[in-house]
């Protein structure tokens, strides 16, 4: 595949060559046609020339035979023939002179011929005159002498030579014309062939170029599609993350506002109580004196109770806000801690967690079964937190009346391990399955301690490890949390 | 609730402090009806549903906070308004959020009144007192069980 620039240069070269050849062919054709025309002209001239020469000869002979006839018979018709022929000789010679104007050789030959013709005509005229004057014998004597005959022979010979020469030239000229025609034909054919070849080459180059362009387009379209797919994926991810942030902000702003209402409310209550308190103190001080009954007696018991109540609520609200803020910080910190990827033996990890929970498991009578788990490349601390929380929840939300059972199993897909923590606890309602992952949210009967932070934290951790978590549950039967972890995870993304 | 109808106010509010503040201020407005407080949506629903079965149940007025930890307040609203007997119970949504779409949703589901709890306690107390006065003049349908 030639680079684009070389290709376009080639195409331009081809086109230029084709055009050049075309122009060349045209020029050559024009030249050859002119040559042919020229030759044609020459041929015409020569033919005219030879014809005139023949005519001249005939006219002289005709004059001669008229003369002979008249000399022999003295009849007028012969005289008339002679006169007619003689009259024609002049013009014919004149025409010949015209024809030979630009042919020097011929001109010379004609110039050499003319005196002979003149001499012959003079001889004839002389004899005629003699015969007209009644001296036929003298005339015949001249005829009998060879002079007239010799001149005529000379004239014939010259004319024959001139005609023969002209015919030779004629053959040459005809040959030239033929050659020119043949060359024209050849040039045209070759030219056509060359142009056709160039056209074919050009066409094939264009075709190949077009095919390459088409291929490029297909690749581009494919790449675009791939890009669009990936963009859609990323956008979906971003959208999900964004939604989570929105939910987070909503929850945080509410759950932090709530205690604030309490603090403000009970502070105001305290203010109201202060007035009552002051009245009470004033009343006590005045007890000994005369100032009784000025103010209505304040119910001391109610006052005590309300005051303590208000303070208690203020304090509990403050500590609640503190706890909430801590939980948020904890979550945010977990989101920011630098994770490292190391090989983690999940069997070992789960065994350690089980050991730390052993006391509670025994107390509640819960059986924990961990099947053979693989090794993954991931952050160890994060995994520990995830599975500790899941097991803790499983223990926390057991049913009261039946022996508890927790199973940890694994499924292998091409790229991920799916680790399931199943329990036979109280289960979660369908409508709560998404809720439980929200911060500060819990589900079901609220008889266990907890802030509702655990699963939100777990989800954040799992996500950062390049995995995902989902939950399946049947109320009153059990719950299964499935964590999908990539087999080999690296922190840089 | 004129002439002190036998209307029980069911207050579904998980925050004990809020519950107390609301109660205090309602009382200050002169409302003497019985107030049943619930800190979880589940418990409140149980109470309402079992009461609805009883032939001689009280008329109720529900004060509902949407921000419950265990169930969504919206769910409770929906369940109440879909119940054949409880649907006629007036529901006053009293919650911290003032999100327009949330308000719209509550009204769409059939809540009767939506009140945003002010953070500022004075406004809060004022709002509750006015709510109380409103309670004084409103009529609550008899429960036709």
């Amino acid at each position: 595949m030639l680079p684009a620039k070389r290709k376009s240069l080639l195409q331009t070269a081809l086109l230029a060559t084709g055009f050049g050849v075309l122009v060349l062919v045209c020029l050559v054709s024009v030249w050859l046609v002119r040559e042919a025309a020229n030759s044609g002209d020459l041929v015409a001239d020569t033919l005219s020339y030879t014809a005139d020469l023949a005519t001249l000869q005939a006219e002289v002979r005709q004059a001669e035979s008229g003369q002979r006839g008249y000399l022999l018979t003295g009849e007028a018709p012969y005289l008339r023939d002679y006169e007619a022929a003689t009259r024609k000789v002049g013009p014919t010679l004149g025409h010949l002179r015209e024809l030979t104007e630009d042919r020097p050789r011929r001109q010379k030959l004609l110039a050499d011929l003319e005196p002979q013709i003149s001499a012959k005509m003079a001889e004839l005229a002389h004899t005629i005159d003699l015969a007209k004057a009644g001296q036929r014998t003298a005339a015949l004597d001249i005829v009998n002498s060879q002079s007239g005959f010799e001149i005529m022979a000379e004239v014939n010979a010259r004319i024959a030579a001139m005609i023969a020469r002209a015919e030779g030239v004629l053959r040459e000229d005809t040959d030239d014309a033929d050659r020119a025609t043949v060359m024209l034909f050849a040039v045209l054919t070759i030219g056509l062939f060359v142009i056709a070849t160039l056209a074919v080459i050009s066409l094939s180059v264009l075709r190949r170029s077009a095919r390459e362009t088409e291929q490029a387009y297909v690749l581009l379209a494919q790449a675009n599609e791939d890009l669009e797919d990936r963009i859609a994926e990323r956008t979906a991810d971003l959208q999900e993350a964004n939604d989570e942030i929105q939910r987070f902000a909503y929850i945080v702003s509410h759950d932090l506002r709530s205690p604030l209402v309490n603090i403000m409310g009970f502070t105001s209550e305290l203010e109201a109580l202060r007035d009552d308190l002051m009245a009470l103190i004033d009343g006590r001080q005045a007890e000994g004196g005369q100032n009784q009954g000025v103010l209505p007696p304040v119910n001391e018991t109610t006052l005590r109770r309300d005051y303590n109540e208000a303070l208690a609520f203020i304090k509990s609200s403050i500590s609640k806000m503190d706890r909430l803020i801590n939980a948020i910080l904890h979550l945010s910190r977990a989101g920011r801690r630098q994770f490292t990827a190391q090989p983690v033996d999940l069997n070992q990890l789960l065994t350690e967690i089980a050991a730390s929970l052993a006391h509670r498991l025994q107390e509640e009578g819960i059986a924990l079964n961990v099947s053979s788990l693989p090794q993954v490349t991931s952050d160890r601390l994060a995994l520990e937190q995830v599975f500790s929380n899941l097991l803790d929840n499983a223990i926390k939300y057991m049913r009261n009346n039946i022996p508890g059972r927790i199973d940890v199993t694994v499924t292998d897909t091409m790229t991920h391990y799916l680790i399931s923590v199943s329990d036979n606890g109280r289960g979660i309602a369908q409508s709560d399955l998404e809720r439980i992952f929200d911060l500060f949210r819990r589900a079901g009967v609220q008889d266990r301690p907890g802030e509702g932070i655990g699963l939100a934290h777990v989800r954040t951790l799992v996500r950062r490890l390049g995995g995902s978590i989902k939950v399946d549950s049947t109320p009153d039967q059990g719950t299964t949390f499935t964590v999908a972890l990539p087999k080999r995870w690296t922190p840089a993304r | 609730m004129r002439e002190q109808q036998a209307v029980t106010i069911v207050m579904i509010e998980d925050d004990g402090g809020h519950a107390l503040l609301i109660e205090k201020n309602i009382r200050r407005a002169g409302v003497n009806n019985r107030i049943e407080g619930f800190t979880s949506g589940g418990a409140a629903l149980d109470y309402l549903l079992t009461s609805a079965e009883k032939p001689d149940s009280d008329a109720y007025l529900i004060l509902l906070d949407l921000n419950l930890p265990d169930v969504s307040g919206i769910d409770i609203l929906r369940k109440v308004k879909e119940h054949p007997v409880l649907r006629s119970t007036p529901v006053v949504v009293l919650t911290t959020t003032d999100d327009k779409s949330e308000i719209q949703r509550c009204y769409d589901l059939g809540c009767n009144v939506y009140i945003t709890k002010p953070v500022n306690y004075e406004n809060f107390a004022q709002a509750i007192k006015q709510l109380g006065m409103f309670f004084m003049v409103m009529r609550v349908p008899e429960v036709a069980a």
Side-chain angles (χ1 to χ4, degrees):
Chain A
M1 199 153 99
L2 296 168
K5 201 154 175 224
R6 288 258 313 273
K7 230 191 303 194
S8 79
L9 258 157
L10 175 68
Q11 281 175 357
T12 315
L14 279 173
L15 275 173
T17 312
F19 192 66
V21 167
L22 193 65
V23 165
L24 203 69
V25 164
C26 283
L27 288 175
V28 168
S29 306
V30 164
W31 185 77
L32 284 172
V33 163
R34 274 190 55 217
E35 283 297 303
N38 273 348
S39 298
D41 283 344
L42 287 176
V43 164
D45 275 351
T46 306
L47 285 173
S48 197
Y49 174 69
T50 49
D52 276 356
L53 282 172
T55 309
L56 186 65
Q57 197 175 37
E59 282 161 3
V60 172
R61 283 218 175 104
Q62 194 183 2
E64 196 182 49
S65 70
Q67 173 233 37
R68 296 269 197 277
Y70 184 63
L71 284 181
L72 283 172
T73 64
E75 304 263 317
Y78 291 109
L79 185 65
R80 278 206 292 276
D81 275 344
Y82 162 79
E83 281 169 356
T86 310
R87 272 203 295 274
K88 284 192 254 175
V89 167
T92 308
L93 276 172
H95 195 236
L96 272 168
R97 267 185 239 116
E98 270 176 36
L99 276 176
T100 58
E101 254 169 16
D102 51 358
R103 306 292 292 260
R105 289 286 294 280
R106 291 187 187 171
Q107 222 171 27
K108 174 139 190 328
L109 288 170
L110 188 64
D112 290 341
L113 178 69
E114 273 194 80
Q116 308 295 324
I117 302 276
S118 301
K120 180 67 188 170
M121 300 311 287
E123 187 247 340
L124 289 176
H126 186 50
T127 56
I128 293 286
D129 286 341
L130 280 174
K132 270 204 226 170
Q135 297 178 3
R136 280 205 4 234
T137 330
L140 278 168
D141 283 340
I142 293 176
V143 168
N144 279 334
S145 82
Q146 297 292 358
S147 58
F149 181 75
E150 279 164 7
I151 297 178
M152 191 64 198
E154 179 73 17
V155 165
N156 283 338
R158 280 187 187 262
I159 288 183
M162 285 164 82
I163 289 180
R165 193 180 154 275
E167 277 174 356
V169 170
L170 184 69
R171 266 198 300 283
E172 269 176 39
D173 285 348
T174 313
D175 285 346
D176 280 347
D178 280 346
R179 227 191 338 266
T181 310
V182 166
M183 259 182 71
L184 179 68
F185 191 67
V187 163
L188 282 175
T189 311
I190 293 174
L192 213 73
F193 185 69
V194 168
I195 289 175
T197 314
L198 288 176
V200 164
I201 295 175
S202 193
L203 214 74
S204 82
V205 166
L206 275 172
R207 268 252 301 273
R208 201 175 23 193
S209 170
R211 217 193 350 257
E212 282 166 8
T213 308
E214 216 179 285
Q215 269 173 2
Y217 268 121
V218 167
L219 283 174
L220 187 67
Q222 239 169 29
N224 259 346
E225 236 179 76
D226 286 342
L227 192 65
E228 298 249 357
D229 281 343
R230 247 176 305 155
I231 288 175
E233 228 177 271
R234 291 289 163 82
T235 310
D237 280 345
L238 277 173
Q239 193 61 43
E240 208 183 302
N242 197 37
D243 286 343
E244 208 177 295
I245 290 176
Q246 303 275 43
R247 271 206 308 277
F248 183 75
Y250 178 90
I251 286 169
V252 162
S253 71
H254 276 95
D255 289 22
L256 282 178
R257 232 193 237 185
S258 214
L260 211 57
V261 169
N262 276 344
I263 292 173
M264 297 210 61
F266 284 106
T267 313
S268 297
E269 293 289 318
L270 279 180
E271 272 185 325
L273 286 171
R274 176 196 51 192
D275 296 338
D276 290 345
L277 207 60
M278 294 306 158
L280 185 66
I281 292 172
D282 289 342
R284 281 270 167 79
Q285 284 179 343
E287 219 149 67
Q290 246 90 33
N291 274 353
Q292 279 185 353
V294 173
L295 289 163
V298 181
N299 188 336
E300 203 178 301
T301 334
T302 322
L303 200 62
R304 241 186 254 274
R305 186 197 67 198
D306 285 352
Y307 196 87
N308 290 333
E309 208 173 47
L311 266 184
F313 271 115
I314 290 172
K315 276 156 72 177
S316 72
S317 295
I318 290 173
S319 70
K320 182 160 183 201
M321 279 185 83
D322 193 35
R323 269 202 319 279
L324 292 177
I325 291 170
N326 270 337
I328 293 166
L329 280 176
H330 184 61
L331 204 64
S332 139
R333 228 177 278 129
R336 271 186 286 124
R337 173 173 73 84
Q338 277 297 97
F339 281 15
T340 53
Q342 345 145 277
V344 177
D345 184 351
L346 287 175
N347 271 322
Q348 192 195 25
L349 186 71
L350 264 295
T351 313
E352 283 173 14
I353 297 174
S356 69
L357 294 169
H359 182 68
R360 280 171 69 195
L361 286 168
Q362 200 191 39
E363 226 176 60
E364 311 280 342
I366 299 173
L368 171 63
N369 306 313
V370 179
S371 53
S372 175
L373 299 174
Q375 197 185 66
V376 291
T377 308
S378 194
D379 182 283
R380 193 194 171 80
L381 182 57
L383 285 180
E384 198 182 302
Q385 288 173 328
V386 163
F387 288 106
S388 292
N389 187 280
L390 289 178
L391 284 174
D392 187 75
N393 279 348
I395 296 174
K396 243 197 305 197
Y397 293 106
M398 280 298 172
R399 281 180 274 169
N400 293 328
N401 41 357
I402 58 149
R405 188 200 156 89
I406 305 173
D407 295 302
V408 182
T409 54
V410 67
T411 317
D412 193 332
T413 72
M414 282 231 297
T415 49
H416 289 66
Y417 286 122
L418 307 176
I419 301 151
S420 301
V421 178
S422 289
D423 64 55
N424 62 348
R426 60 178 71 173
I428 304 166
Q430 194 71 27
S431 53
D432 288 332
L433 289 180
E434 182 54 45
R435 230 176 102 83
I436 51 176
F437 287 104
D438 281 340
L439 189 58
F440 306 139
R441 295 292 175 266
R442 311 167 79 200
V445 177
Q446 301 293 296
D447 59 348
R448 296 278 187 274
E451 291 293 347
I453 305 168
L455 284 177
H457 191 203
V458 162
R459 186 159 69 173
T460 309
L461 287 170
V462 165
R463 236 195 225 131
R464 275 198 69 194
L465 292 174
S468 61
I469 181 168
K470 70 175 171 69
V471 64
D472 244 315
S473 181
T474 315
D476 274 336
Q477 280 196 3
T479 311
T480 305
F481 282 91
T482 308
V483 176
L485 290 173
K487 293 187 182 177
R488 310 184 61 81
W489 173 80
T490 49
R493 263 229 302 171
Chain B
M1 304 192 290
R2 214 179 291 159
E3 291 130 20
Q4 306 300 321
Q5 246 180 301
V7 178
T8 302
I9 300 175
V10 172
M11 182 166 60
I12 312 178
E13 169 62 69
D14 69 315
D15 188 312
H18 284 219
L20 194 53
L21 289 170
I22 292 169
E23 194 174 327
K24 276 191 200 288
N25 284 291
I26 286 185
R27 293 273 179 254
R28 282 184 195 140
V31 174
N32 292 329
N33 301 63
R34 188 159 70 101
I35 298 178
E36 287 281 351
F38 297 94
T39 52
S40 79
L45 261 180
D46 284 339
Y47 176 81
L48 285 167
L49 290 170
T50 43
S51 294
E53 305 297 311
K54 295 209 289 262
D56 229 352
S57 63
D58 288 344
Y60 289 110
L61 177 97
I62 300 177
L63 268 183
L64 176 61
D65 181 11
L66 293 180
N67 228 28
L68 301 169
D70 62 333
V71 196
S72 152
I74 297 275
D75 269 343
I76 299 199
L77 174 62
R78 187 184 294 123
K79 283 199 176 84
V80 165
K81 287 301 173 183
E82 281 171 1
H83 192 277
V85 176
L86 291 173
R87 65 198 308 183
S88 56
T89 310
V91 175
V92 175
V93 171
L94 182 65
T95 189
T96 40
T97 181
D98 58 355
D99 178 39
K100 285 200 193 73
S101 57
E102 194 81 331
I103 299 174
Q104 183 66 42
R105 243 172 102 196
C106 286
Y107 276 114
D108 284 341
L109 286 167
C111 86
N112 301 75
V113 180
Y114 188 105
I115 298 175
T116 311
K117 264 188 228 168
V119 180
N120 178 330
Y121 179 67
E122 271 188 30
N123 296 348
F124 175 77
Q126 187 68 8
I128 300 297
K129 273 198 214 108
Q130 283 172 333
L131 187 64
M133 293 198 278
F134 180 56
F135 288 168
M136 292 285 281
V137 297
M138 69 185 268
R139 296 286 311 212
V140 171
E142 301 285 343
V143 177

